[in-house]
Amino acid sequence: KSAEYVYLSSMSTSALYNDQGGAEAAVEAGQESTPTSSSTGAAFGLFSADFKKNEDLKEMLESNKESLKLEAMKRVVGLIAKGKNASELFPAVVKNVASKNIELKKLVYVYLVRYAEEQQDLALLSISTFQRALKDPNQFIRASALRVLSSIRVPIIVPIMMLAIKEAAADLSPYVRKTSAHAIQKLFSLDPDQKEQLIEVIEKLLKDKSTLVAGSVVMAFEEVCPDRIDLIHKNYRKLCNLLVDVEEWGQVVIISMLTRYARTQFTSPWKENNEKTFYDSDSEEKKGQIEAKPYIMDPDHRLLLRNTKPLLQSRNTAVVMSVAQLYWHLAPKHEVSIVTKSLVRLLRSHREVQYIVLQNIATMSIQRKGMFEPFMKSFYVRSTDATHIKTLKLEILTNLANEANISTILREFQTYVKSQDKAFAAATIQAIGRCATNISEVTDTCLNGLVLLLSNRDETVVAESVVVIKKLLQTQPTQHSEIIKHMAKLFDNITVPMARASILWLMGEYCERVPKIAPDVLRKMAKTFTIEEDIVKLQTVNLAAKLYLTNSKQTKLLTQYILNLGKYDQNYDIRDRTRFIRQLIVPSEKNGALNKYARRILLAPKPAPVLESAFKDRDRYQLGTLSHSLNIKATGYQELSDWPAVAPDQSVRNVEVIEPVRN
Amino acid sequence: MIGGLFIYNHKGEVLISRVYRDDIGKTWNPSYTSPPSPSHWNHMRNAVDAFRVNVIHARQQVRSPVTNIARTSFFHVKRSNIWLAAVTKQNVNAAMVFEFLYKMCDVMTAYFGKISEENIKNNFVLIYELLDEILDFGYPQNSETGALKTFITQQGIKGQTKEEQSQITSQVTGQIGWRREGIKYRRNELFLDVLESVNLLMSPQGQVLSAHVSGRVVMKSYLSGMPECKFGMNDKIVIDKQGKGGASDDAGKSGKQSIAIDDCTFHQCVRLSKFDSERSISFIPPDGEYELMRYRTTKDIILPFRVIPLVREVGRTKLEVKVVIKSNFKPSLLAQKIEVRIPTPLNTSGVQVICMKGKAKYKASENAIVWKIKRMAGMKESQISAEIELLPTNDKKKWARPPISMNFEVPFAPSGLKVRYLKVFESKLNYSDHDVIKWVRYIGRSGIYETRC
């Protein structure tokens, strides 16, 4: 039994990554096999212990007793697991590939797949065994032989693999045909030049009517020739009909492929006048009337939507996610909402899945608030949620906010602001800011709420509030001088640099509304200038310049003092800025040209910042993909095409003989 | 698809590594001869190291379960001290990778119990075999534990006879991947467990902010042959339909309310198309234990407990807390393992507690008062009061008052779900529905059951 085998010695990281290949290859050189390229002949003695153990193993492998061989193979696989090099045992191991014992055989396979690439000549010894097994009467043995054969990455056997795949693709057993579909991808990655021949095999396998094969061959299609949409036409209806019975992992791949297919073949169901878009069985006769005004959904389009719907009940979250994205990308707008419930359900699933689902909901909720609004409560934050889940939920709640529910949402946000998770509390304040700009009815309420937060005891909360208030005031600068005055009062107690800088900027920008206070703030800043952070210093210089232009009588001396301090600052940014400002605002003979425009430069009306979702532009990626999740285009990402203006020929999908679908 | 799979221990040492595609971690280097270069094993190690440095040993808390390092993406899940990471360079379906990792965890748990470093080291031969079986070139394959157990050789099952092999093939290739033919039991028995977890978020004033029940129906079946089963419960849609047809005897007699199921998912054995059209749950069950369905309800939930908190600040150095819990179910039923967790401020210096029932203790390390009651009957109430002394601090941060949470176990289903019938039909063998011994049990547990204070 395997229990007696103990995982040897505690592993240390260094041992794991130590490449011992060189030394052991040198050992090997003296023996029967060919040396590998990297033999450096280093420290022979260092590995003598290993060397001896390998001798033992070799003896065991060559013994007649099955149990000894098995024990030895387990140890060898153990060596691989620990990152040790076991390549020198290759000849001894390969001999056992023909063993009748299935357990032993499987372990030899594990070994072969790992080392065949390094020991190509020796690997060839095992090939004949596989070729024999490919003809075995037992389908299971045929399949497993093909599976291992195709995993051996030795270029010389490409023709043998090709032949084996072609034969297996015509096998009577669907299981063997399925394995051949997987082998296609492996051969393709080993030798991309075989593409044309492989496509022929894919074309043949796509016609297969077994549910077992369908998933695997579509995987191969996606990997080898995703652009050959024409291969799908004839099989489209069959795939749709088989879909419910395909195993779950296959469903995921097929659904994603069909999504892409449908976007190239059908016209958009998103036109305005699509009240009557129900599937009409007679519409097949109406071919050629595509330009007719009322939109009629292609029956094949409808078929896909209808056949994927039951899968929303699948227990596999990936399948549910796939169907959801299919509906999002393909269904008429009023039908998309049937996926909502299922998506909300996925939120009870594991944390990681939650994260992915929330990201997708965040993207969806920007365009279609109505879809998720009834489930708003599902996005309430729990104290046990991780920060990244919390921020995503916040994002969604903000997207969902409208005139009707804003008061509920704001009440909920009030609780979040008190959270101990400071990053989250800060994000909440940002969210309040977004709600305030999006919904004009509550702008004042939000602003007042934020002003109240200014007297909060927590510094990060105050700082974040200041920053958000600054943005809000910019969007509607009228009649808010009260708030600016209030902030000036708080100024002495606020220590977070970003918040101080924001207040100074506000003072400068709206200095004409608070003519008495602004110079006083500048006076205070002149005192503390040298001990402030850099961003605060920069804003002080800014404020000084603006006041100099509007109220030079009171502030001329102060400004000059601050500019002098800035001139000798340690930070070159501040020195540069000071020099620039001085030239700009203080008139002298040299710089007459710009000076005239100083006021227009510094006090130009500035566009208000737009507060929008971070998920705004994510909808350019297909939902559910890694690319969407990372917001980066990942390798192998297939663009979803836009709907064609005129549907391509529908008749390409017609199949002459309609047979009942059987496995 | 998935390029490789690694399992790490908490120190970041690799326990298992299996690479399916050689693109992961490969940096382009002109000196490599194109495709097959043995040195891709070394590149893989770059990927392995990158994950250790950037995620396991990361300084800050890792924010996302998907990490992208140098255009290679790492999907990870953590089980106790063990990290499972799937690595890819391709544009995969993100949910699928996580779903697979969790399947992988399930399969491993089914084979050797808890996923721990020790267990993984003791079973690595098995794990390698499993990885070969459930991922082919990075594509997830049949990962049904029941089916896998027949063709994984490790752990006892070895040296199959001809018969066994043909069984395997029928299982792998047949339409029904989850049950083999020729199962026989002397006693045909089945056990149904309705396991629910009830989640609540309540405002201090007793207003329900959100509440839902997520439930599972777990079935253990020991049935001979290929039985066809039909499962019925007090689903509102079904009962309403029957009521219209005049066959309302079942619902009418018992007077039980029906429940509105928000949505549900099923084990792959349930015929989804049939559920979609007639909303009936029929299936050929796998042998042994499995999860038949999961569901969720949000309406008319019986909340087993109500928590009423009262917090009063007496000056700057003292807090008075009073919490009343009321049980809200039939007096004949007993709730068990009740635990109320009352959070205390960080600057707590001492706590005095008085409780009417059970035991309460202040746990300084957890910043909470933990009140435990072994048993409590329905329609009762109990209370705890505590005086918390605080150290004066000049810390301006106000205590955030985290919610009071509760744990319990009750012997009924908070959603109101009732099993109405489970019929078994097996036409080929000579046993009928009446001969099958059926057991049902309901367990309601607390999920996240919180009351803000």
Side-chain angles (χ1 to χ4, degrees):
Chain A
K1 284 212 65 177
S2 60
E4 71 206 24
Y5 186 77
V6 185
Y7 200 82
L8 296 159
S9 75
S10 72
M11 302 188 301
S12 79
T13 334
S14 59
L16 250 172
Y17 303 110
N18 233 347
D19 196 358
Q20 301 170 355
E24 282 180 1
V27 174
E28 224 169 2
Q31 296 166 15
E32 62 222 82
S33 77
T34 47
T36 50
S37 55
S38 62
S39 53
T40 50
F44 191 97
L46 208 71
F47 299 102
S48 54
D50 264 351
F51 169 59
K52 254 201 197 128
K53 211 193 309 163
N54 285 352
E55 276 300 275
D56 283 358
L57 286 174
K58 203 170 278 176
E59 255 171 49
M60 287 163 82
L61 285 170
E62 277 159 12
S63 79
N64 291 324
K65 278 194 190 155
E66 205 110 282
S67 59
L68 271 180
K69 285 183 176 178
L70 203 57
E71 175 64 28
M73 269 324 288
K74 282 185 181 172
R75 283 204 208 169
V76 171
V77 174
L79 287 177
I80 298 176
K82 282 191 284 180
K84 297 256 170 69
N85 191 325
S87 58
E88 76 167 278
L89 292 165
F90 202 95
V93 173
V94 163
K95 280 179 203 155
N96 292 307
V97 77
S99 165
K100 287 272 177 296
N101 183 328
I102 291 213
E103 189 177 358
L104 182 60
K105 205 171 187 153
K106 280 200 142 182
L107 292 176
V108 174
Y109 288 173
V110 171
Y111 183 91
L112 260 180
V113 172
R114 166 70 179 81
Y115 281 110
E117 206 171 336
E118 291 175 33
Q119 309 255 336
Q120 310 212 344
D121 296 341
L122 283 167
L124 294 179
L125 293 178
S126 62
I127 303 298
S128 61
T129 321
F130 291 118
Q131 279 177 308
R132 221 174 305 134
L134 285 170
K135 302 259 184 307
D136 197 281
N138 186 328
Q139 51 173 344
F140 188 57
I141 292 176
R142 289 202 299 279
S144 106
L146 178 60
R147 196 169 175 172
V148 181
L149 179 68
S150 55
S151 301
I152 297 175
R153 300 178 55 85
V154 178
I156 302 173
I157 63 163
V158 165
I160 299 178
M161 267 157 89
M162 197 65 217
L163 201 69
I165 290 174
K166 278 185 178 160
E167 269 174 27
D171 202 286
L172 278 178
S173 149
Y175 185 62
V176 177
R177 297 203 296 273
K178 176 191 169 76
T179 315
S180 80
H182 281 289
I184 291 173
Q185 305 150 44
K186 296 181 204 167
L187 180 52
F188 179 64
S189 84
L190 178 62
D191 183 4
D193 295 341
Q194 305 293 320
K195 188 170 173 178
E196 289 314 311
Q197 286 197 57
L198 287 173
I199 292 178
E200 280 168 31
V201 184
I202 291 177
E203 194 173 357
K204 193 170 160 199
L205 282 172
L206 275 170
K207 294 197 181 103
D208 206 298
K209 291 197 171 60
S210 160
T211 50
L212 265 179
V213 184
S216 304
V217 68
V218 173
M219 288 174 197
F221 172 82
E222 289 282 78
E223 193 128 328
V224 179
C225 51
D227 44 343
R228 288 289 303 273
I229 283 284
D230 56 296
L231 297 182
I232 303 297
H233 292 319
K234 289 264 178 261
N235 303 296
Y236 172 83
R237 288 176 197 161
K238 185 200 68 194
L239 282 173
C240 287
N241 288 324
L242 286 182
L243 194 56
V244 191
D245 297 319
V246 174
E247 43 95 33
E248 43 197 29
W249 307 113
Q251 285 171 347
V252 175
V253 183
I254 297 180
I255 292 173
S256 116
M257 188 276 288
L258 289 179
T259 311
R260 239 166 7 91
Y261 177 84
R263 280 294 275 265
T264 60
Q265 299 300 320
F266 307 128
T267 49
S268 167
W270 300 339
K271 297 276 158 54
E272 299 84 76
N273 302 328
N274 55 357
E275 257 89 87
K276 284 192 173 180
T277 54
F278 292 106
Y279 169 53
D280 182 6
S281 57
D282 303 327
S283 61
E284 212 157 346
E285 270 86 59
K286 294 180 190 165
K287 262 176 275 157
Q289 294 186 1
I290 311 148
E291 304 87 343
K293 264 167 210 155
Y295 168 78
I296 293 166
M297 186 181 272
D298 189 305
D300 288 327
H301 190 171
R302 174 52 66 195
L303 176 76
L304 177 59
L305 292 176
R306 197 177 43 212
N307 282 359
T308 46
K309 193 180 154 212
L311 295 179
L312 284 173
Q313 236 77 43
S314 168
R315 65 174 174 163
N316 186 317
T317 52
V319 176
V320 180
M321 223 15 257
S322 302
V323 179
Q325 68 83 21
L326 180 131
Y327 264 77
W328 177 256
H329 291 295
L330 297 182
K333 298 279 187 196
H334 61 277
E335 284 177 43
V336 179
S337 48
I338 65 163
V339 304
T340 314
K341 252 186 190 174
S342 312
L343 283 177
V344 172
R345 175 189 66 221
L346 295 187
L347 296 183
R348 286 174 298 130
S349 162
H350 299 288
R351 216 142 71 110
E352 289 79 11
V353 176
Q354 253 185 59
Y355 175 73
I356 302 290
V357 174
L358 284 171
Q359 280 188 325
N360 286 297
I361 293 181
T363 305
M364 292 180 174
S365 61
I366 291 176
Q367 290 181 30
R368 307 283 309 274
K369 283 184 192 195
M371 254 175 95
F372 294 98
E373 215 198 305
F375 295 91
M376 203 174 74
K377 284 190 174 169
S378 311
F379 304 108
Y380 280 9
V381 169
R382 294 269 176 177
S383 58
T384 42
D385 288 338
T387 308
H388 58 264
I389 301 277
K390 283 184 191 164
T391 18
L392 278 172
K393 283 188 172 172
L394 199 64
E395 180 72 42
I396 295 169
L397 283 176
T398 317
N399 289 342
L400 293 181
N402 59 24
E403 288 81 3
N405 60 22
I406 184 69
S407 58
T408 329
I409 289 184
L410 283 180
R411 213 175 311 131
E412 189 63 20
F413 282 180
Q414 274 171 11
T415 324
Y416 301 165
V417 171
K418 292 183 208 142
S419 163
Q420 266 171 330
D421 183 343
K422 286 307 157 210
F424 173 59
T428 308
I429 294 168
Q430 294 279 4
I432 295 176
R434 258 180 64 201
C435 289
T437 45
N438 294 341
I439 302 162
S440 51
E441 279 91 337
V442 292
T443 312
D444 287 334
T445 330
C446 289
L447 209 47
N448 290 337
L450 289 171
V451 171
L452 282 183
L453 284 177
L454 289 178
S455 38
N456 194 293
R457 276 191 263 176
D458 188 88
E459 201 163 63
T460 33
V461 171
V462 176
E464 202 66 36
S465 308
V466 168
V467 175
V468 173
I469 289 176
K470 180 201 126 193
K471 288 182 186 160
L472 281 182
L473 287 183
Q474 253 181 289
T475 54
Q476 37 183 270
T478 48
Q479 92 261 351
H480 286 309
S481 51
E482 281 305 312
I483 295 172
I484 301 179
K485 278 180 198 158
H486 185 74
M487 294 200 351
K489 266 182 225 156
L490 286 170
F491 186 68
D492 295 339
N493 296 323
I494 293 175
T495 54
V496 176
M498 190 61 209
R500 280 177 83 83
S502 293
I503 295 182
L504 288 175
W505 186 89
L506 270 178
M507 291 289 147
E509 191 65 22
Y510 304 114
C511 53
E512 282 161 285
R513 291 217 185 79
V514 283
K516 290 201 180 124
I517 297 170
D520 191 52
V521 172
L522 188 65
R523 179 186 62 82
K524 287 185 200 158
M525 284 315 297
K527 278 201 229 167
T528 58
F529 187 85
T530 46
I531 53 167
E532 296 286 351
E533 288 283 329
D534 290 347
I535 46 168
V536 184
K537 284 181 182 170
L538 285 175
Q539 287 307 325
T540 312
V541 173
N542 239 341
L543 173 66
K546 286 174 182 169
L547 282 175
Y548 183 88
L549 291 174
T550 54
N551 184 2
S552 63
K553 211 162 81 189
Q554 271 186 302
T555 57
K556 191 170 181 182
L557 284 172
L558 273 174
T559 306
Q560 255 158 19
Y561 175 64
I562 286 172
L563 289 180
N564 278 335
L565 285 178
K567 189 175 173 185
Y568 299 106
D569 199 273
Q570 284 186 320
N571 184 302
Y572 48 76
D573 275 342
I574 295 167
R575 292 200 301 273
D576 283 355
R577 177 76 63 89
T578 314
R579 198 173 303 130
F580 163 69
I581 294 282
R582 188 192 289 277
Q583 295 296 318
L584 187 62
I585 59 171
V586 183
S588 69
E589 288 120 44
K590 279 178 270 175
N591 58 9
L594 259 187
N595 189 265
K596 271 185 272 175
Y597 301 106
R599 215 185 150 88
R600 275 168 68 187
I601 290 170
L602 282 172
L603 291 169
K606 297 169 183 69
V610 185
L611 301 174
E612 62 184 12
S613 168
F615 283 80
K616 186 104 179 121
D617 55 349
R618 290 241 183 147
D619 56 350
R620 64 197 149 128
Y621 295 116
Q622 187 175 358
L623 291 185
T625 59
L626 176 65
S627 305
H628 174 267
S629 184
L630 296 170
N631 206 8
I632 300 171
K633 195 183 230 173
T635 324
Y637 177 75
Q638 300 280 336
E639 293 277 353
L640 270 186
S641 71
D642 286 329
W643 298 100
V646 175
D649 187 14
Q650 302 176 347
S651 61
V652 289
R653 284 186 292 277
N654 289 348
V655 186
E656 294 79 29
V657 202
I658 294 144
E659 298 172 89
V661 179
R662 268 296 121 97
N663 184 22
Chain B
M1 291 298 122
I2 297 173
L5 198 117
F6 306 117
I7 303 182
Y8 297 81
N9 66 6
H10 66 287
K11 286 186 227 149
E13 295 163 0
V14 180
L15 302 177
I16 299 281
S17 74
R18 179 74 173 87
V19 174
Y20 298 97
R21 310 252 170 146
D22 53 358
D23 62 349
I24 56 165
K26 194 171 203 167
T27 41
W28 187 78
N29 187 331
S31 68
Y32 292 136
T33 48
S34 56
S37 145
S39 42
H40 75 252
W41 297 98
N42 298 330
H43 294 296
M44 165 201 99
R45 286 180 192 156
N46 293 341
V48 165
D49 289 341
F51 182 76
R52 183 179 48 243
V53 172
N54 287 293
V55 180
I56 301 183
H57 291 166
R59 289 255 177 74
Q60 302 109 348
Q61 204 195 347
V62 179
R63 276 293 158 81
S64 146
V66 189
T67 321
N68 189 279
I69 306 164
R71 296 197 72 77
T72 307
S73 305
F74 296 80
F75 295 72
H76 73 265
V77 301
K78 206 180 164 197
R79 279 281 172 103
S80 60
N81 274 335
I82 300 295
W83 299 73
L84 275 92
V87 189
T88 184
K89 275 216 143 174
Q90 303 287 316
N91 179 49
V92 292
N93 181 314
M96 187 180 86
V97 179
F98 284 123
E99 184 71 21
F100 171 77
L101 286 176
Y102 277 105
K103 273 283 151 57
M104 175 83 202
C105 288
D106 290 347
V107 170
M108 289 200 291
T109 318
Y111 271 99
F112 50 77
K114 195 171 167 275
I115 297 177
S116 65
E117 183 170 350
E118 169 120 27
N119 274 344
I120 287 177
K121 282 181 175 174
N122 288 335
N123 287 292
F124 67 90
V125 179
L126 165 73
I127 296 173
Y128 269 97
E129 202 181 340
L130 277 173
L131 282 177
D132 259 3
E133 210 59 59
I134 58 181
L135 267 184
D136 192 356
F137 203 51
Y139 284 104
Q141 299 296 304
N142 188 359
S143 42
E144 199 57 39
T145 325
L148 274 176
K149 273 201 170 150
T150 22
F151 58 98
I152 290 289
T153 59
Q154 293 297 318
Q155 285 222 340
I157 307 170
K158 43 190 149 183
Q160 287 116 330
T161 59
K162 267 267 163 61
E163 269 168 286
E164 276 171 321
Q165 276 184 5
S166 65
Q167 264 175 18
I168 293 167
T169 45
S170 79
Q171 184 152 355
V172 176
T173 58
Q175 280 284 33
I176 297 169
W178 56 87
R179 191 181 179 96
R180 61 186 171 87
E181 282 184 44
I183 298 173
K184 267 212 179 79
Y185 287 102
R186 190 167 290 169
R187 233 158 88 111
N188 288 303
E189 235 176 339
L190 59 88
F191 300 84
L192 268 177
D193 281 341
V194 177
L195 308 171
E196 295 196 337
S197 91
V198 49
N199 298 281
L200 170 76
L201 185 64
M202 198 179 243
S203 75
Q205 291 77 33
Q207 187 191 1
V208 177
L209 293 174
S210 79
H212 72 262
V213 169
S214 52
R216 306 186 295 145
V217 177
V218 176
M219 188 168 160
K220 261 183 252 173
S221 70
Y222 303 102
L223 301 170
S224 313
M226 279 287 184
E228 175 81 36
C229 296
K230 206 169 166 191
F231 175 72
M233 56 189 178
N234 55 343
D235 179 357
K236 197 169 181 198
I237 298 174
V238 177
I239 288 182
D240 288 355
K241 223 192 255 171
Q242 287 180 348
K244 259 180 233 160
S248 63
D249 54 328
D250 218 357
K253 241 187 271 167
S254 55
K256 292 272 155 55
Q257 289 161 331
S258 52
I259 61 160
I261 288 183
D262 259 30
D263 70 354
C264 42
T265 58
F266 297 102
H267 186 268
Q268 70 176 112
C269 66
V270 174
R271 297 196 180 85
L272 287 179
S273 44
K274 219 164 178 183
F275 180 78
D276 201 47
S277 56
E278 334 168 358
R279 219 174 158 88
S280 74
I281 303 166
S282 58
F283 54 98
I284 295 174
D287 196 37
E289 185 171 341
Y290 66 99
E291 189 180 287
L292 178 65
M293 71 179 280
R294 279 176 185 241
Y295 57 92
R296 167 186 154 101
T297 67
T298 49
K299 288 200 189 84
D300 304 322
I301 293 167
I302 309 161
L303 295 171
F305 285 96
R306 166 89 206 276
V307 177
I308 304 156
L310 250 172
V311 182
R312 205 158 64 93
E313 287 178 42
V314 186
R316 293 207 55 182
T317 57
K318 208 169 151 193
L319 269 181
E320 281 182 11
V321 181
K322 199 174 106 178
V323 177
V324 181
I325 59 167
K326 287 183 179 170
S327 58
N328 177 33
F329 44 87
K330 271 194 225 152
S332 58
L333 299 174
L334 276 178
Q336 284 183 308
K337 299 177 192 165
I338 301 151
E339 187 185 289
V340 183
R341 190 169 277 268
I342 305 161
T344 55
L346 293 172
N347 55 341
T348 303
S349 62
V351 175
Q352 270 106 44
V353 242
I354 310 161
C355 55
M356 282 165 49
K357 226 177 161 210
K359 278 179 192 160
K361 228 190 216 167
Y362 167 62
K363 293 200 171 159
S365 56
E366 294 163 37
N367 280 314
I369 301 169
V370 180
W371 177 24
K372 285 182 180 170
I373 305 173
K374 278 204 182 120
R375 256 172 238 107
M376 187 165 171
M379 305 316 268
K380 289 256 168 35
E381 81 174 62
S382 186
Q383 81 172 48
I384 183 172
S385 45
E387 276 185 24
I388 302 170
E389 273 162 51
L390 304 174
L391 286 172
T393 52
N394 41 9
D395 191 359
K396 279 188 204 155
K397 275 180 201 155
K398 209 181 153 200
W399 179 48
R401 290 201 183 178
I404 295 176
S405 59
M406 216 188 147
N407 287 315
F408 53 80
E409 200 179 295
V410 288
F412 62 88
S415 66
L417 182 130
K418 286 273 187 297
V419 176
R420 288 169 62 212
Y421 58 80
L422 199 138
K423 290 176 190 154
V424 182
F425 310 98
E426 166 55 279
S427 48
K428 284 186 198 141
L429 296 172
N430 56 347
Y431 72 92
S432 71
D433 185 37
H434 300 292
D435 303 331
V436 181
I437 307 161
K438 302 166 189 167
W439 308 87
V440 184
R441 123 181 117 156
Y442 299 91
I443 300 173
R445 290 202 183 91
S446 52
I448 299 166
Y449 203 84
E450 294 177 334
T451 308
R452 289 181 180 161
C453 63

